[in-house]
């Protein structure tokens, strides 16, 4: 058996959501020409599928899990995949229909089959970014660091929930932060840095935001973005605007991020 395994899933994607919703289709592997709803992230479909794959490998984790699909480079997707894989390679932004640039990295892998999985993931990111200016974002994330990232995100959510008076400033920051094709999504690192820089922000909020930015930077193996996305840091996060409401699927019982307070923050923040 192979000592290392890479699995790349190629298809339509849009982040964590469990079913298509009009022109802003989200979830993974949905059928844009039919009625198939795709593989749910929040309802646990993806986790069950990956659990079966890991079981078929005799319990061996997937070394590199890639989504050659739009908008799958999210903190929520990283949380969902972390129990089953060591590295996530995914884009926060849309991808052209041609997908990734496989030829160079696979030729290099054939020439050096002992290549470290982290190095293979970084090569995939670099090849994609170098091929076209339409390859907006791609990042490789060390899923072994996701517990620390998730704890930091939970801490930021908890701090913000305690300071609803800061929500207006957070909304201004949200609007200014790096966005993507989904208007309800912002770059996690850029968002954290901007929250930290809010003038007069409570000290616990600043400290929590700084920790998110720091832990995320430590988790990223390689992140590349085009000049059109100058503040893309590697992973995005779901954050609708004030008064927009939260998608009820986000708080589904099987949602892998349900143990954090991010959904509690969204419920309070988007209700205003």
């Amino acid at each position: 058996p192979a000592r290392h395994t890479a699995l790349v899933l190629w298809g339509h994607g849009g982040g964590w959501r469990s079913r298509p919703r009009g022109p802003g289709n989200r979830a993974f592997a949905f059928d844009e020409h039919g009625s198939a709803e795709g593989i749910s992230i929040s309802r646990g479909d993806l986790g069950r599928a990956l659990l079966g794959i890991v079981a078929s490998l005799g319990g061996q984790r997937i070394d590199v899990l890639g989504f050659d699909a739009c908008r799958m480079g999210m903190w929520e997707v990283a949380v969902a995949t972390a129990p089953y894989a060591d590295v996530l390679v995914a884009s926060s932004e849309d991808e052209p229909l041609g997908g990734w640039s496989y030829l160079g990295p696979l030729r290099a892998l054939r020439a050096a089959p002992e290549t470290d999985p982290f190095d293979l993931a970084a090569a995939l990111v670099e090849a994609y970014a170098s091929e076209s200016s339409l390859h907006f974002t791609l990042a490789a994330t060390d899923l072994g660091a996701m517990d620390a990232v998730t704890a930091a995100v939970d801490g930021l959510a908890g701090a913000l929930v305690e300071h609803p008076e800061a929500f207006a400033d957070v909304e201004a920051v949200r609007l200014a932060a790096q966005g993507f094709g989904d208007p309800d999504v912002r770059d996690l690192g850029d968002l954290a840095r901007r929250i930290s820089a809010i003038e007069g922000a409570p000290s616990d909020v600043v400290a929590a935001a700084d920790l998110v930015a720091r832990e995320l930077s430590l988790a990223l193996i390689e992140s590349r973005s085009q000049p059109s996305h100058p503040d893309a840091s590697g992973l995005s996060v779901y954050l609708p605007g004030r008064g927009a409401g939260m998608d009820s699927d986000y708080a589904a019982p099987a949602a892998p991020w349900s143990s954090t307070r991010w959904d509690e923050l969204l419920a309070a923040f988007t209700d205003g």
Side-chain angles (χ1 to χ4, degrees):
R3 290 190 297 273
H4 299 289
T5 303
L7 171 65
V8 178
L9 304 173
W10 193 352
H12 291 297
W16 66 267
R17 287 192 181 177
S18 60
R19 58 183 180 273
R21 293 175 179 270
N25 284 337
R26 276 161 278 197
F28 176 71
F30 57 83
D31 180 5
E32 68 176 4
H33 302 296
S35 60
E37 290 191 342
I39 297 170
S40 164
I41 309 294
S42 64
R43 296 179 184 176
D45 291 351
L46 177 65
R48 286 187 290 272
L50 294 177
L51 177 63
I53 292 170
V54 169
S56 74
L57 295 172
Q60 176 179 308
R61 292 165 59 85
I62 300 164
D63 288 272
V64 178
L65 176 62
F67 284 96
D68 191 349
C70 296
R71 309 182 193 176
M72 299 302 289
M74 299 191 72
W75 165 71
E76 290 88 349
V77 176
V79 171
T81 55
Y84 313 103
D86 294 335
V87 181
L88 172 69
V89 181
S91 171
S92 296
E93 186 56 284
D94 292 339
E95 293 187 359
L97 290 176
W100 290 0
S101 310
Y102 292 95
L103 191 57
L106 291 182
R107 280 179 171 167
L109 180 61
R110 183 175 62 182
E114 72 282 0
T115 297
D116 181 84
F118 279 32
D119 291 337
L120 173 62
L124 287 166
V125 171
E126 292 165 2
Y128 179 80
S130 300
E131 186 177 71
S132 171
S133 61
L134 296 178
H135 292 177
F136 300 117
T137 64
L138 196 67
T141 303
D142 176 6
L143 295 177
M146 281 311 299
D147 282 350
V149 174
T150 297
V153 170
D154 175 66
L156 177 58
L160 287 172
V161 166
E162 294 298 317
H163 295 284
E165 73 278 4
F167 283 180
D169 288 332
V170 173
E171 172 64 5
V173 162
R174 186 194 72 85
L175 291 170
Q178 178 68 59
F180 304 100
D182 179 355
D184 291 340
V185 166
R186 290 295 185 272
D187 183 84
L188 177 58
D190 189 38
L191 181 71
R193 288 189 290 271
R194 290 176 184 271
I195 290 175
S196 174
I198 292 175
E199 185 175 356
S203 59
D204 57 335
V205 170
V206 171
D210 284 342
L211 184 60
V212 169
R214 182 163 62 252
E215 295 296 348
L216 180 60
S217 68
L218 292 173
L220 291 169
I221 299 165
E222 184 75 28
S223 179
R224 297 283 296 275
S225 60
Q226 299 296 339
S228 56
H229 292 66
D231 296 315
S233 65
L235 289 178
S236 61
V237 69
Y238 178 59
L239 183 62
R242 293 282 282 154
M246 178 181 70
D247 188 326
S248 60
D249 285 340
Y250 196 81
W257 50 86
S258 61
S259 62
T260 75
R261 289 170 284 182
W262 192 256
D263 55 348
E264 297 172 26
L265 168 65
L266 295 187
F269 180 78
T270 63
D271 190 45

